[in-house]
Amino acid sequence: MALPAYAEQNIIGEDSGEIKINGTLGIDNTDEGATIVEEDDAWINVTLPLETIFYSASPNAGAPITSPDYTITNNSGRPVDIFFKGIAKDDPDPSAQAEYEVALNGFAKGNPKIIEDGLVTSENNGVLIHTLANKNGKLGKNDQDLQPTANTVAFRYVGEVMDAVDSTITENYTMTLEFKAVSWVEETETP
């Protein structure tokens, strides 16, 4: 973790020295100039959905699985990386009630499959899926403002029912995303 730059003083032949202290309580992490240590979790200020859904309208094999679009927005003064941390089935019985596949869709750096053959998959845990610009659309300190929406990503679920189902099946999951504050960089790539 990078520390902010500071001036130093040498004390030679004296028995004391003074250090100025600048403390801030309730610092505003939406301010690009805030004196928060680069990459510190204090920079994280993200809005994401509390609940999401996916579904298939047909019980037939080959039926597409879809969902509404959802958004994740970075409200911070620094860019934020989004990682797919994992997914867990909420039911204590982890067995599959049906065979289907579901993947994330809409992220710039990765759209991992999260359910395969009706079972949660862990092969993509920890994968970087997107970098959100800061609230002003910037990825680096010296960037000119990018698109105002670069701090938001829209995503959805896509997939397919592999085998026909005889009745409506409802399964519930909890997906975990991990966020990491990104320090300012001099040159950037568009996400």
Side-chain angles (χ1 to χ4, degrees):
M1 187 178 313
L3 296 175
Y6 57 89
E8 295 178 330
Q9 61 181 323
N10 292 320
I11 306 298
I12 301 171
E14 305 214 12
D15 63 0
S16 66
E18 293 182 354
I19 299 173
K20 296 208 181 274
I21 301 171
N22 297 311
T24 305
L25 304 178
I27 199 160
D28 180 7
N29 69 1
T30 65
D31 178 3
E32 291 181 3
T35 54
I36 300 171
V37 175
E38 293 295 329
E39 299 180 4
D40 190 285
D41 286 350
W43 279 114
I44 298 171
N45 182 339
V46 177
T47 304
L48 66 154
L50 184 59
E51 292 185 44
T52 60
I53 63 168
F54 65 80
Y55 57 89
S56 72
S58 167
N60 299 328
I65 292 175
T66 190
S67 77
D69 287 338
Y70 299 101
T71 59
I72 300 173
T73 302
N74 181 14
N75 308 303
S76 167
R78 290 293 182 274
V80 172
D81 281 339
I82 305 172
F83 293 84
F84 172 73
K85 183 78 172 179
I87 184 170
K89 191 172 182 181
D90 293 345
D91 186 335
D93 178 6
S95 63
Q97 295 184 38
E99 288 193 28
Y100 58 97
E101 295 183 352
V102 178
L104 296 174
N105 182 266
F107 294 105
K109 296 185 176 187
N111 291 293
K113 189 179 293 183
I114 59 175
I115 300 170
E116 188 169 10
D117 297 325
L119 301 171
V120 298
T121 178
S122 61
E123 69 183 57
N124 295 308
N125 290 5
V127 171
L128 174 64
I129 57 176
H130 201 87
T131 299
L132 291 171
N134 78 347
K135 71 175 189 125
N136 298 318
K138 294 167 62 175
L139 290 170
K141 182 176 185 176
N142 298 322
D143 284 356
Q144 298 301 315
D145 286 355
L146 300 173
Q147 301 174 12
T149 58
N151 71 316
T152 298
V153 62
F155 74 97
R156 63 183 12 232
Y157 305 102
V158 296
E160 181 179 351
V161 176
M162 308 309 285
D163 290 330
V165 294
D166 297 329
S167 61
T168 300
I169 296 171
T170 301
E171 295 191 302
N172 298 310
Y173 300 89
T174 300
M175 178 172 65
T176 303
L177 300 177
E178 181 177 47
F179 304 99
K180 291 191 178 180
V182 177
S183 68
W184 282 129
V185 291
E186 297 304 319
E187 295 183 25
T188 60
E189 298 175 20
T190 303

